[in-house]
Structure formats: structure tokens, C-alpha cells
Amino acid sequence: MSEHAGVTAPDAPFHYQRHQGKRTQWVAFGAALLLGIFLLDMTIGPGQLGLGQVLNTLLSPDEAGIKSRFIVWDIRLPVALMAILVGAALGGAGALMQTILNNPLAEPFTLGVSHAAAFGAALAIAFGTSLLPWEWAQGYIITLNAFVFACLSALVIFLVSRMRGATQETMILTGIAILFVFSALNAMLQFAASAETLQQIVFWAMGSLGRATWPKVGVAAALLALACALLWRSAWRLTALRMGDEAAEAMGVNVTRIRLVVLMLSSLLAAVAVAFVGIIGFVGLVGPHMARMLLGEDQRFFLPGSMLFGAILLTVAEILSKTIIPGVLLPIGITTSLIGVPFFVFLLVVVRRRSAA
């Protein structure tokens, strides 16, 4: 009877099912945690609504008072839902980039994709300039500009990754170069903009969920659902990709095609987040690392887990942005950096200790 890592062959299915069960439990725990902090987020604000009032207004809006209904449905709920959607988009984008580039430091912020999208959006804010000539596109000029520039920067990274002799360090350095280039272009754009436009660009770039509206929530939810549907069909291909290009090709995976498609999808997720909320760092880095530690590399669990933990992180950041300084709403980008840096260092220490054990 053969053995592998202390598990006999007849017992392997049992241990596999138990392992899958633990992953499912972690996902269920994350979903319950997200629901809890979502409700906590809904209770925090100048309106001073308790949890009971919030639940009653959410479940029975017709029976609630006009004030409660306005605060919950028109002000707090769109912001809370946008935090979940944007956090999920950033977590998913980071997980995808780390998978296809085989680099744990890859995410929209560190690879410059967010800054490229920010430049496209700032271009629309400052001059109303769009790269797309169609008349219907003018109503979505900020989002579409952000998407186009995000895709361009992601395409550059992809082309560099296909060059002979390209390494993980080469791709990271390319991303850093893109980050600095578009940071400089953003600075130049701010220098040339008027005082009023400059204020809008700077405030927008810091990240804010306060501009969330129901139409924006609907667009973000639709695009995230579309990306999830496409990615679910490619989960096994992405899992095979983690075994190496040669192993994935031997299993019938078109490595070049899947990398290009997934890079475009991750750019779409990053562009939506930047266009609606602004530049937000560390969510796309920390969320996937949490998912990887708890759920492993199986993309059926890793991708949903990354989105789930990304949504949790951004919702927690939203709560802290309203409570760190009483009466002041901090930009969400500042809050994510404040909590993201120490948390990421903590994750690195835990991983290193596990590796040394």
C-alpha cells in the first residue's frame, strides 16, 4: 500500500474531502464576517441609527420613517455596497495578476495599472478628453478612459513578460516604471489644471466612497458579475498555470491566450475600482495573501476568497475612515494604506515563520 506525506492511498479521498470542507468553512466564515462588518458600517454615521433601526429599514423600508429610509437607502447603503464591490474587484484583480505573472507582489497598485487608470480618469476630469470617439461613450468618459489606460499598461507588462529572458524581477521593475511614468503624467496634469479642477483630481485620487450612487453601484456590480462568470469557466486553467507553463500546456491550456484574457479582465476590475473610487493600495495585495494562506492555490477557492477578503478589508477601512477622527471623513485611500502596511508586514512575518518551521 503506497503512502504519500503520511496519507495512505485509500484514505486520500477522505483527506481531500476534509481539506475541501475546511476551505468551504473558511469561505463561509469570511462571508459571515463580511455581513457583520457591513451591518456595522451601516450603523456608523451622523444619523445615529442603531442596528435594529437599520435592519428594520433594510427589510421593511415602507414601514420605516422618512428620515431613516433616506439615511439608510439613499446615503449609507450605496456607499457600503460600493465598498464591498470595489474591495472585491481589487482583491480579484490582485489575485489574477499574481497568478498569471507568478509573482506574489503583483497587484494593480504596485504594477502601475491603478496609476495608469487614474491618469485616464484625470484626463477626463480635467479636459473632458476621451480616447473613444463614439457619442454614447461620453456619458461614461471617466470609466472608459480609466479602462483604456489600465489595459494599455497591462498590455505593456504582458509584452515584457513574453520577452526572451524576462524574469519576475523584470515584470515588477516594468510595473514600477509604469507607476512612476503615470505618476509624473498625473502631476503634470495637475500642474496644468485650473484650481477647481485640481481640487477635484486630488480629492478623487486620494480615494473616496462618498460619490457612490445607485447607478454606479449597478455598473460596478454588473461588471464584477461578468468578470466572475468568465473567470469561473477558467478556474481550472488558472490552477494548472500555477504548476508551470510546461505543465499547463501539457494539460491543453493555451498559456499565452489565458494570460492575455485574464490580464485584460484584471485590468477591467482595476479600472472600475479606480474610476468610481480613486487610487486604493494594498487591498489587491493583502486580500490575495490572506486567501492563499487560508485556502491554498486552488482557484475555485482562491479567487472567491481573494474577492471576499478584499471586500472585508475595504469595508473595515471605510469604518475606520469614519471613526479615526470624529466628525471627519478621511479619504479611503489613506485609510487602506494606514492599515495595509502593518497588516502586510504581519502576513510576511507569519509566512516566514511557517516556512522556517
Side-chain angles (χ1 to χ4, degrees):
M1 185 178 298
S2 63
E3 289 190 4
H4 180 70
V7 179
T8 59
D11 292 337
F14 168 75
H15 286 279
Y16 175 78
Q17 292 177 1
R18 188 174 65 175
H19 189 54
Q20 297 295 82
K22 288 183 178 180
R23 288 173 170 174
T24 304
Q25 290 174 4
W26 274 116
V27 172
F29 171 77
L33 179 61
L34 178 60
L35 177 60
I37 60 176
F38 164 75
L39 293 175
L40 177 61
D41 186 23
M42 291 290 294
T43 62
I44 298 176
Q48 296 182 348
L49 297 179
L51 179 59
Q53 290 177 284
V54 170
L55 288 173
N56 181 62
T57 306
L58 287 173
L59 299 176
S60 304
D62 295 334
E63 299 177 4
I66 297 177
K67 177 183 175 182
S68 298
R69 188 164 62 244
F70 175 75
I71 292 175
V72 171
W73 282 91
D74 295 340
I75 298 179
R76 294 186 185 177
L77 188 55
V79 173
L81 291 177
M82 185 61 81
I84 292 175
L85 293 171
V86 169
L90 290 174
L96 292 171
M97 289 183 174
Q98 291 175 20
T99 298
I100 62 176
L101 297 178
N102 193 27
N103 194 308
L105 296 178
E107 68 123 337
F109 186 84
T110 57
L111 291 181
V113 176
S114 293
H115 289 78
F119 175 73
L123 202 65
I125 293 175
F127 305 111
T129 303
S130 174
L131 296 181
L132 301 176
W134 308 303
E135 184 176 349
W136 65 267
Q138 303 309 308
Y140 304 93
I141 183 174
I142 295 178
T143 304
L144 291 173
N145 262 23
F147 175 60
V148 170
F149 277 93
C151 286
L152 288 175
S153 63
L155 184 60
V156 170
I157 296 172
F158 174 78
L159 293 176
V160 170
S161 70
R162 301 303 302 167
M163 293 175 59
R164 180 177 299 178
T167 62
Q168 295 183 10
E169 290 77 11
T170 303
M171 290 180 282
I172 288 294
L173 291 175
T174 302
I176 293 174
I178 292 174
L179 186 153
F180 279 108
V181 166
F182 281 103
S183 293
L185 290 174
N186 275 318
M188 185 173 63
L189 194 62
Q190 294 171 17
F191 179 79
S194 63
E196 182 179 353
T197 304
L198 174 62
Q199 184 178 12
Q200 294 179 18
I201 294 175
V202 171
F203 180 76
W204 174 87
M206 288 183 179
S208 174
L209 292 165
R211 297 182 297 274
T213 61
W214 281 112
K216 291 180 180 179
V217 169
V219 172
L223 292 176
L224 183 61
L226 174 63
C228 288
L230 294 175
L231 290 171
W232 182 253
R233 299 177 57 187
S234 302
W236 75 270
R237 296 182 181 90
L238 292 171
T239 303
L241 198 62
R242 296 296 295 170
M243 302 177 186
D245 289 2
E246 293 183 0
E249 289 176 353
M251 297 173 67
V253 178
N254 187 332
V255 174
T256 302
R257 182 177 180 275
I258 191 67
R259 275 205 172 100
L260 181 59
V261 171
V262 171
L263 199 57
M264 293 302 104
L265 282 175
S266 61
S267 300
L268 171 63
L269 294 175
V272 169
V274 172
F276 288 150
V277 178
I279 299 177
I280 296 177
F282 287 101
V283 173
L285 190 64
V286 177
H289 275 277
M290 293 175 63
R292 185 176 290 109
M293 288 175 59
L294 297 174
L295 304 172
E297 294 286 358
D298 189 335
Q299 300 292 316
R300 296 173 299 173
F301 294 92
F302 175 61
L303 283 177
S306 299
M307 293 182 178
L308 185 60
F309 288 119
I312 290 173
L313 285 170
L314 196 57
T315 304
V316 170
E318 163 65 8
I319 293 173
L320 292 177
S321 69
K322 295 188 290 186
T323 56
I324 291 178
I325 302 178
V328 177
L329 181 62
L330 291 176
I332 194 71
I334 295 177
T335 312
T336 55
S337 296
L338 288 175
I339 66 174
V341 172
F343 192 68
F344 184 63
V345 172
F346 168 76
L347 287 179
L348 291 178
V349 172
V350 171
V351 171
R352 176 166 294 184
R353 286 181 177 176
R354 286 188 174 183
S355 300

